[in-house]
Amino acid sequence: MHYTSTLLAAVAGLSACVDAHMIMAQPVPFNKDTINSSPLAPDGSDYPCKANGQYTVSSMNTMPIGSTQQLSFKGSAVHGGGSCQLSITYDENPTKDSKFKVIHSIIGGCPAKGVAGNLPEDPNGSGAGTYQFTIPAGLKEGKAVLAWTWFNKIGNREMYMNCAPITITGGTKKPRNVSPLRKRDGLDDLPDMFKANLGNGCTTVDSQDVLFPDPGKSVEEFGSGAPVAPTGSCAAGGSSGGSSGGSSGGSSGGSDAGQPTPSDGSAGAPVPEPSPSQPATGGVFIPSTPESPESPPAPETSEEPATPVPETPPATPSAPVAEPVTPPASGGSSGGQSGACTTEGTFNCLPGGKSFQQCASGAWAPVQQMAAGTTCTPGVGPLAMSAGKIRRRHQRRSIELST
C-alpha cells in the first residue's frame, strides 16, 4: 500500500510538472484554449507548432512593420532558461515543408533570466521573463505565422515550439504578374530557424545555453556563461531564396529588404572602350574610335571606317633602344623617310599629323594614313596620337603607343 501511494504521488507530481511547462502567452498562439505545453515529440512527428495540422485562430495579432512587440509566457517549468528564437513564415497553415525565417534570437536566459531550475510550480504562472522584438522592415503585408522555439538549458534534450497567427501591416505589397525570380522581399534575407533534438542528427548540450549557428543580426544575450554550440550535423541556418526564404534581419528591428543593386561601380558609368587590336610583331597599334550604341544589342562602330593598315614583315627581335623625338627628316614623298633606319618599331609622324610610317626590318615602311578622326604629333619616336571628338560621348583622350 505504501508503495502504491508513493507511486501515485510521483505520477501526480510528474503530471503537475508537465502541466507547468511553458507556453507562449503573447503573441496569442493558435489553439489558445487547448494548446499542449509539452515539447515537440523526439521524432519530430508533431513539428511544426505542435498543432497537428489544427490551426484555430483564437485572436489575430496585428504587427505593423517597425513596431516593437512583446513576448511573454505562462507556466513555471523554465528548466534553468535556455535559448529561444522568433521566426516567421508566410504559410498560414505551416507544414513540415514550411520555411521559418529568424527575426530575433535570445541566447541564454529564455524563457526566464537568472533562474537555476524552475519557478514555483504554477501552470498559469506569469513569473517568467518578458522580452521585446521588432518586426523588421521589408516584409510583405498580409497574414503570416510567428513561431517561438525554445531549447531548455537543463533536463531532457528537447525543443519547444508554439505558433501564433499574425497580420503584417505597413509592409511591401505582394507583387502581381511578376516573374517568380523577382518575387523577393525582406524575409528572403533572414537565416533559417534552428532545429535540434528532433532525431535530425543535431543535439543541444545539457546544462548549457545553446549558441545558434546563425542567430541573425537581431540578437540578445542573457546567459550567465558562455553559450555552447550544438553537436552533430546541425544546419547553419543559412539563407535561401523562395517565398519564405532569406538574410538576417537588422538588430532589434532588422534592416530594409535587400533591393537589386548595381554591381560594383557607379550606376550609369560609360561602357568601357574595347581594347586596341594587336597585329603580328612589327605591326602598328591603331585604336578604333567606337560610337556608343543606341541600344544594348547594337554593336559599337567607328564614326567612320578606319583605313586598313597593312602588316609589315616580322622583324628579328632585338632590344629596343629609346630614340628621342626629332623633327621629321627630309626625303621620300610628302615628308616621309626612305632607306635604312636603326631602331625597330620607331614611328615617323609626318607634318600635319595625318600620316605616319614605321621602322621595320631595318628600313622605313611606306607612308600610311592615320585612322579617321585621329592625328599624331609630328616627329620621330614613339607614336603620340590624339582622338578627335566622338559623337555622343564628347570625350577627348590621348593615347601613347610604344613597342
Side-chain angles (χ1 to χ4, degrees), residues 311-362:
E311 295 185 359
T312 56
T316 303
S318 61
V321 178
E323 182 172 315
V325 176
T326 59
S330 60
S333 61
S334 302
Q337 298 196 42
S338 60
C341 56
T342 58
T343 304
E344 288 294 318
T346 298
F347 292 89
N348 176 28
C349 176
L350 277 64
K354 298 292 186 179
S355 57
F356 69 96
Q357 60 182 159
Q358 185 182 25
C359 178
S361 299

Side-chain angles (χ1 to χ4, degrees), residues 28-402:
V28 179
F30 287 109
N31 313 316
K32 175 184 176 182
D33 298 328
T34 59
I35 190 170
N36 187 331
S37 65
S38 59
L40 294 172
D43 61 0
S45 57
D46 53 359
Y47 173 87
C49 304
K50 203 172 180 63
N52 294 314
Q54 302 299 316
Y55 293 98
T56 301
V57 178
S58 304
S59 178
M60 179 59 70
N61 303 274
T62 300
M63 298 186 176
I65 291 292
S67 65
T68 299
Q69 301 292 324
Q70 179 171 287
L71 172 67
S72 62
F73 305 95
K74 182 175 73 171
S76 58
V78 296
H79 294 294
S83 297
C84 303
Q85 284 189 316
L86 292 169
S87 308
I88 287 180
T89 179
Y90 290 139
D91 295 340
E92 296 179 39
N93 295 286
T95 68
K96 295 182 185 297
D97 297 325
S98 296
K99 287 286 188 181
F100 287 87
K101 295 292 182 172
V102 178
I103 63 169
H104 188 61
S105 291
I106 306 169
I107 300 176
C110 181
K113 307 169 188 175
V115 179
N118 292 326
L119 296 170
E121 186 177 315
D122 183 358
N124 296 310
S126 58
T130 58
Y131 307 83
Q132 292 185 332
F133 63 96
T134 303
I135 302 301
L139 302 186
K140 294 187 299 188
E141 288 185 347
K143 294 181 179 179
V145 170
L146 182 141
W148 162 68
T149 50
W150 168 40
F151 300 89
N152 53 298
K153 183 175 182 178
I154 61 174
N156 296 329
R157 298 298 81 206
E158 299 167 332
M159 175 177 177
Y160 293 78
M161 185 176 190
N162 293 163
C163 296
I166 65 173
T167 296
I168 300 171
T169 61
T172 58
K173 298 289 185 181
K174 292 183 178 180
R176 296 180 180 179
N177 302 322
V178 178
S179 167
L181 295 177
R182 299 184 61 188
K183 290 183 179 180
R184 187 173 180 86
D185 60 77
L187 206 63
D188 293 327
D189 297 326
L190 301 175
D192 293 336
M193 181 184 75
F194 175 69
K195 293 189 292 183
N197 307 328
L198 298 179
N200 60 341
C202 181
T203 306
T204 57
V205 179
D206 187 17
S207 302
Q208 304 292 336
D209 295 319
V210 65
L211 176 64
F212 298 119
D214 189 350
K217 293 183 180 178
S218 181
V219 182
E220 292 181 290
E221 294 189 40
F222 298 109
S224 57
V228 176
T231 62
S233 301
C234 302
S239 59
S240 60
S243 63
S244 302
S247 68
S248 18
S251 175
S252 297
S255 57
D256 292 339
Q259 298 297 328
T261 57
S263 57
D264 292 342
S266 303
V271 179
E273 295 291 334
S275 301
S277 59
Q278 179 176 352
T281 303
V284 181
F285 295 89
I286 302 297
S288 60
T289 55
E291 177 184 348
S292 297
E294 292 293 332
S295 59
E300 294 191 356
T301 57
S302 301
E303 193 171 57
E304 295 182 15
T307 303
V309 180
E311 295 185 359
T312 56
T316 303
S318 61
V321 178
E323 182 172 315
V325 176
T326 59
S330 60
S333 61
S334 302
Q337 298 196 42
S338 60
C341 56
T342 58
T343 304
E344 288 294 318
T346 298
F347 292 89
N348 176 28
C349 176
L350 277 64
K354 298 292 186 179
S355 57
F356 69 96
Q357 60 182 159
Q358 185 182 25
C359 178
S361 299
W364 288 106
V367 175
Q368 304 175 52
Q369 295 298 312
M370 294 294 295
T374 62
T375 60
C376 61
T377 301
V380 177
L383 185 62
M385 296 172 52
S386 296
K389 186 176 292 185
I390 301 175
R391 185 167 69 252
R392 296 185 61 199
R393 291 183 184 274
H394 301 291
Q395 298 175 340
R396 186 171 182 83
R397 61 180 66 85
S398 295
I399 305 170
E400 183 172 1
L401 301 176
S402 60

